[in-house]
Every structure is written in C-alpha cells, then in structure tokens.
Amino acid sequence: MTVMLLQMDSITKKYGEFSANRSIDFSLAAGEVHAIVGENGAGKTTLMRILYGMEQPTSGTIRINGKEVSFASPLDAIRGGIGMVHQHFMLFPSFTIAENIVIGNEPGTGAAFNRREAIKTVEGLCAQYGMKVDPNAVVSSSAPGVQQRVEILKVLYQGAEIIILDEPTGVLTPIEVQELLQAIKQLSKQGKSFILISHKLSEVLDVADRITVLRDGAVTGVVNKQETDAHQLSRLMVGRELAELDRVPITPGEKVLEVSDVTINGTKGKPVLDAVSLDVRAGEIVGIAGISGNGQSELLQVISGLAQADSGRLAVAGKDVTGMSTKEIREQGLAHIPEDRYVWGANRTATVMDTGLMGHQRRLQQNGFLKLKDIRKVVSGWVQKFSIKTGSLETSTQYLSGGNLQKLIVARELEQGTPFLIAAEPTRGVDIGAMETIHGELLKRRESGTGILLVSSELTEILKLSDRVLVMYEGRIVGELPAKEATEERVGLLMAGGA
Ligand SMILES: Nc1ncnc2c1ncn2[C@@H]1O[C@H](COP(=O)(O)OP(=O)(O)O)[C@@H](O)[C@H]1O
Ligand SMILES: [Mg+2]
C-alpha cells in the first residue's frame, strides 16, 4: 500500500454539544487535487482550520507521509509543509507584491528589508511555477485574481507542499477563475498537492482528481472525478434529488421599470453611473451581471429611492417616481430583496414576526385592524416553505443565521405581489436546498406577471434565471444579450471589460 502524503483519520471537532466535524477521514496523495464540497455549515472550513493548526481536533489523528503530526499553530503547520489561502485575502494592501510575498521571512542578511533581493526572489518563484505577477505593483491596486496569485506564491515561498484553497473563486471574474484552475493544474503537475474547497461543482469537476462530500459535519461520499457528475454530487450534498427548473416561455407585457439616462457623478471625475438606461417588462427576468463594484449597488439604490441620481428619470409600474422616497416608490409597486440584509432588510432587534410583516401592514389590514392570527399564519407559512430555522416567531432576528434571515426577507418580498421586484443577491449565504426553493419562487412570480430585476455576482444564477442579460462595467451597461446568446464565455468577457 502506498503511503498517502496526508492522512486525516476520524477527525471530530466539537464546539460544546455541537459537532462541526464528525469522524471525518480524508486523504491526499502527492500531486493530487482533492476537492471538498458541501453546503454552508457542512464543516469544510473547520476541517481545514484543524489541518492548518488554527484549531485542535477533539479527537482523531493527522499523519504526513505516514508520520503522526500535531500542529499547535499555523506557524507549525507552515513548517510542516501546509499552506492555506483563506476565503478573505490576508495581504497588506499598501505593500508591494514582493513585500507581501517575503514578509516575515525576508531574504538577505541583517534587519533591513532588501528590496532588490525580494524582487529577485519573486521573479524566481514566478519563473519556477509559471505564474505571472509584477513584484513592484502595490497590492491595493491589483485585481482580485492577481492578489490571489500573490497569496499562492506566498505559500509556495514558505515551502508549502500541500496548498489549501478555501472558496477561492468567489471574488474572481470568469477569466480569472480559468487562470486559477490552470495554475492549480500546472502546479499539481509539478508535484504540489491541493485541497480545494468550493461549492461550484463545475469548477470542482474541471480540476479535481477526487472529491469528498461533507454534510452536517460527516463524509457522505468520496468519489473519483471520472466516476461522478454534478447530479450525484448535489444529491450527496443535499441528501435528496433536486428538481429541474423549467422556465416556461412568456411574452413580456407592459414596462414595470424604466430607467432613462441615470447618472451619478463620481468624486474622481469618473461617473459612478454613466447614463444608464434599461427597462424591465411584466413577466420577464432581466439579469444584471458584473463584478461587484461596477455600479450595480448604486443603480439599485437609485431605483429603490435610497439614493438620488444627479440626472435621469425613473418610472415604476408606469408612473414617474423620479425623486420619490423609498416608501413612495414601494407604494407604486416595488418589492426589494436587498443586497445587504443587515443594512436594508432587517432590524436586528425586531422579531421574526415584525420582520416578516414589514411592508405588509397595508395588505393585511382589514377594517383598520391588523388581524394578528392571520399574520401569524402567513409568516409561519413562510417559515415552513423556506425551512427557516428559528426558535419561534417571537425570536429576535439577531439570533437567526445569515442564511435564515435571508430566507425570511426573500419570502417577505416575494409575497408583496407587486408588479416589479428587485432581487439583489437573492441566494447569498443560503444552502442548495433553499437556493432551489428561492429560484423556483422567483420563476413563479415571473409566471404570474411580475417583472424582476435580478442582480447577482453568481453568473450561473444570472444565466439560469434570466430572459435577458445586461452586463455592467465601470458604471455603464456594456452589453445586452437574450438568454439564448448569453453564454458564460460571452458574458464573462463583457464583465471583464472586453468588447
Ligand atoms: N468557533 C466555533 N464555535 C461554534 N461553532 C462553530 C465554530 N466554528 C464553526 N462552527 C460551526 O460549525 C459548523 C461548520 O462550520 P464551517 O466549517 O465553517 O462550515 P463550512 O466551511 O462547510 O461552511 C457551522 O454550523 C458553524 O456555525
Ligand atoms: Mg467555509
């Protein structure tokens, strides 16, 4: 029997009564790419924090090349040949790339930082591993894809043989994702081993040799890439079969949103929104794709009355709403699943009931009285339909997990029954099962004639649901494609600023 490079046996991690990892076995061969998939909260990051010495297992053993090890800290793990690139980059933004890579381990003698040595070191690493970065560039002005390469070069510089990547593609453009997957393939050919945590099955199926699936802290399957597919993997992740979505053909009706030449002047001479025009018709889903930060948030704020444009006009459900307040626009027929549930969607101290009720008062009011019994029925209906985990309807929303609060707000806004709905990042932070429910409900609203403006940083979500796809780049709509022509490649290119 060959000895595995890494062998984790029967790893259990308890937090009080709760087991985040339950007797997990995991192995990694030299040069292997082993992906770990699983829904939010399945225990993936916990397992990796244990391997990287950030947490101690409650029980279980870790062996490297057959020898038992115990890492008391990340520094220990780094000495043991483990490198970890976290979900959120941990670079010094004002430092150069070279400084970031060698920091804590500077080449040369003496206390002084030897810039020339550092640059040479980084150039050497780039040549050795076939990755390109400019050692002199400052991190804060480098694209996310570049920053991630810097993180990877940093762990390679530290001598990592095993590289852990925790959800590495969340902040990348499709082109950057392709570059990352290429780099992983290239490095694994050179003998480096990877543990790749991801919830994007297409990426996993592209790059991994083996895939371990976790659910509720336990392994539900270990499969070879050749012997599996996205269906099997999602079944293992969720524990049941997922339904296929079907988007019935519709004929779009009246315009429920009209945005004409909306501009917000920026402070640096560059407009934040540059004469943006678009419309959404009844019964269609219009998706806005784009890397976040290209004006999508500002556009939604203007449409929902949270911010005022410097020029341009807006109409909702056929009425001019330019300059109106949020409340007034809502009354014209807008519902809004907000991008940031904590800022716009909920008051932390309000109960589940109060939060569910926001914006519904008028509809539920009869003869001037809110019928408490009816309201309870409606809200507990949502709790069931979306499997919202809450103690009771009187629980304060600050005790709900992010995903459960998201589901509550989605339910509330879907239920407004308005002609126009903004759905901004509607499935952020929710698991696959809830995602399926939310997508199904959005399509139901579409069929019942609501026009939906969908903004999402998940391109797969945009492509799955939209009848038309608009792409935003640097404050402008740079492309519009009907669903049939909106392929990942074409939209991805537009998102990156390509023509
Ligand atoms: N320090 C901690 N204390 C208590 N519970 C935790 C802690 N860290 C993680 N958990 C819980 O363990 C579970 C697994 O979390 P995590 O490993 O981050 O999942 P994943 O990375 O698969 O989304 C979650 O339910 C999380 O809330
Ligand atoms: Mg995680």
Side-chain angles (χ1 to χ4, degrees):
M1 211 192 94
T2 51
V3 173
M4 283 282 174
L5 172 62
L6 167 72
Q7 183 86 43
M8 299 177 84
D9 284 319
S10 213
I11 301 287
T12 291
K13 177 69 188 178
K14 288 193 172 172
Y15 293 109
E17 286 296 289
F18 176 77
S19 298
N21 284 171
R22 293 188 280 147
S23 204
I24 293 179
D25 294 332
F26 180 83
S27 68
L28 183 68
E32 183 184 25
V33 180
H34 193 153
I36 303 179
V37 301
E39 298 199 282
N40 278 321
K44 308 178 294 288
T45 298
T46 302
L47 187 68
M48 291 303 105
R49 288 166 62 91
I50 289 170
L51 177 58
Y52 194 53
M54 297 169 82
E55 299 270 2
Q56 297 307 312
T58 310
S59 61
T61 57
I62 304 175
R63 281 175 290 159
I64 288 187
N65 289 318
K67 228 181 91 208
E68 188 166 338
V69 293
S70 153
F71 299 132
S73 69
L75 204 61
D76 245 14
I78 291 168
R79 288 201 197 100
I82 317 267
M84 182 158 176
V85 176
H86 297 273
Q87 225 159 332
H88 303 287
F89 301 148
M90 298 189 164
L91 300 171
F92 295 99
S94 60
F95 286 15
T96 66
I97 286 177
E99 286 162 345
N100 266 284
I101 290 173
V102 304
I103 206 157
N105 221 344
E106 294 85 348
T109 49
F113 177 79
N114 188 332
R115 184 175 306 271
R116 189 144 1 108
E117 273 300 301
I119 292 171
K120 245 175 48 198
T121 305
V122 171
E123 283 168 350
L125 283 169
C126 287
Q128 183 181 353
Y129 295 115
M131 295 171 87
K132 258 200 248 135
V133 294
D134 170 5
N136 291 308
V138 173
V139 160
S140 59
S141 52
S142 305
V146 174
Q147 295 192 25
Q148 189 171 56
R149 276 206 292 279
V150 174
E151 291 269 17
I152 294 172
L153 284 165
K154 188 179 170 73
V155 300
L156 287 168
Y157 174 67
Q158 292 169 340
E161 289 301 321
I162 295 173
I163 299 167
I164 305 165
L165 300 169
D166 191 351
E167 304 272 4
T169 62
V171 293
L172 304 184
T173 65
I175 290 167
E176 289 174 327
V177 171
Q178 285 314 312
E179 286 170 356
L180 172 69
L181 299 182
Q182 275 312 315
I184 293 175
K185 286 178 192 170
Q186 169 65 28
L187 288 166
S188 66
K189 266 194 213 127
Q190 289 178 253
K192 301 289 178 190
S193 307
F194 283 88
I195 305 174
L196 172 69
I197 297 182
S198 176
H199 65 274
K200 295 185 181 163
L201 298 180
S202 60
E203 293 168 5
V204 164
L205 287 166
D206 179 357
V207 77
D209 300 303
R210 275 191 302 163
I211 301 150
T212 285
V213 187
L214 296 185
R215 184 167 78 236
D216 294 333
V219 174
T220 55
V222 183
V223 291
N224 290 323
K225 196 236 319 262
Q226 283 83 8
E227 293 154 10
T228 190
D229 56 23
H231 263 287
Q232 186 197 20
L233 291 176
S234 43
R235 204 166 50 234
L236 289 168
M237 283 166 70
V238 186
R240 62 181 165 85
E241 201 67 55
L242 292 173
E244 290 283 326
L245 278 185
D246 67 291
R247 201 147 49 91
V248 299
I250 44 108
T251 312
E254 301 281 295
K255 286 180 186 172
V256 294
L257 172 74
E258 275 182 272
V259 175
S260 321
D261 284 324
V262 162
T263 294
I264 296 184
N265 302 321
T267 45
K268 292 177 195 153
K270 212 174 178 189
V272 176
L273 288 178
D274 190 359
V276 171
S277 296
L278 63 99
D279 55 51
V280 177
R281 290 173 177 275
E284 67 169 354
I285 298 182
V286 175
I288 296 191
I291 306 296
S292 52
N294 278 285
Q296 300 93 318
S297 302
E298 290 80 0
L299 176 63
L300 294 187
Q301 284 177 19
V302 169
I303 295 174
S304 57
L306 291 162
Q308 296 298 328
D310 290 307
S311 61
R313 302 212 71 78
L314 280 177
V316 166
K319 290 206 195 67
D320 192 320
V321 298
T322 315
M324 281 190 188
S325 70
T326 307
K327 185 160 167 283
E328 291 164 330
I329 299 177
R330 273 189 168 259
E331 281 166 5
Q332 297 307 322
L334 161 80
H336 186 183
I337 298 165
E339 172 175 38
D340 187 336
R341 55 193 169 234
Y342 290 112
V343 179
W344 309 116
N347 173 341
R348 276 166 192 271
T349 57
T351 65
V352 168
M353 265 277 274
D354 297 338
T355 306
L357 194 58
M358 274 169 64
H360 280 283
Q361 288 92 335
R362 234 169 26 132
R363 229 159 44 87
L364 287 167
Q365 210 157 9
Q366 276 176 1
N367 310 325
F369 291 103
L370 286 172
K371 285 199 177 166
L372 199 62
K373 235 175 63 199
D374 294 350
I375 299 166
R376 289 193 68 89
K377 234 184 4 211
V378 172
V379 179
S380 52
W382 302 339
V383 167
Q384 285 214 323
K385 189 196 251 170
F386 291 89
S387 328
I388 299 169
K389 292 197 182 99
T390 174
S392 76
L393 298 187
E394 276 67 44
T395 301
S396 153
T397 53
Q398 62 189 323
Y399 299 117
L400 262 55
S401 75
N404 282 305
L405 180 56
Q406 175 74 10
K407 291 189 276 184
L408 176 64
I409 292 167
V410 168
R412 176 185 82 199
E413 295 303 313
L414 281 168
E415 215 66 26
Q416 307 274 355
T418 52
F420 174 52
L421 169 70
I422 295 174
E425 309 288 354
T427 58
R428 178 177 281 173
V430 307
D431 59 34
I432 298 191
M435 187 183 295
E436 185 196 26
T437 308
I438 292 172
H439 286 168
E441 292 298 316
L442 284 169
L443 289 178
K444 269 193 216 156
R445 285 246 55 89
R446 164 185 179 270
E447 276 165 45
S448 69
T450 296
I452 300 173
L453 184 64
L454 170 69
V455 177
S456 174
S457 46
E458 296 280 350
L459 186 50
T460 42
E461 179 163 74
I462 296 271
L463 299 182
K464 190 159 142 195
L465 296 174
S466 306
D467 298 290
R468 280 191 287 140
V469 177
L470 308 179
V471 184
M472 274 193 92
Y473 180 72
E474 295 192 337
R476 282 176 294 131
I477 306 275
V478 293
E480 170 170 352
L481 298 166
K484 263 194 234 112
E485 294 165 28
T487 59
E488 198 171 320
E489 292 71 33
R490 289 188 68 179
V491 177
L493 195 61
L494 288 164
M495 281 167 69

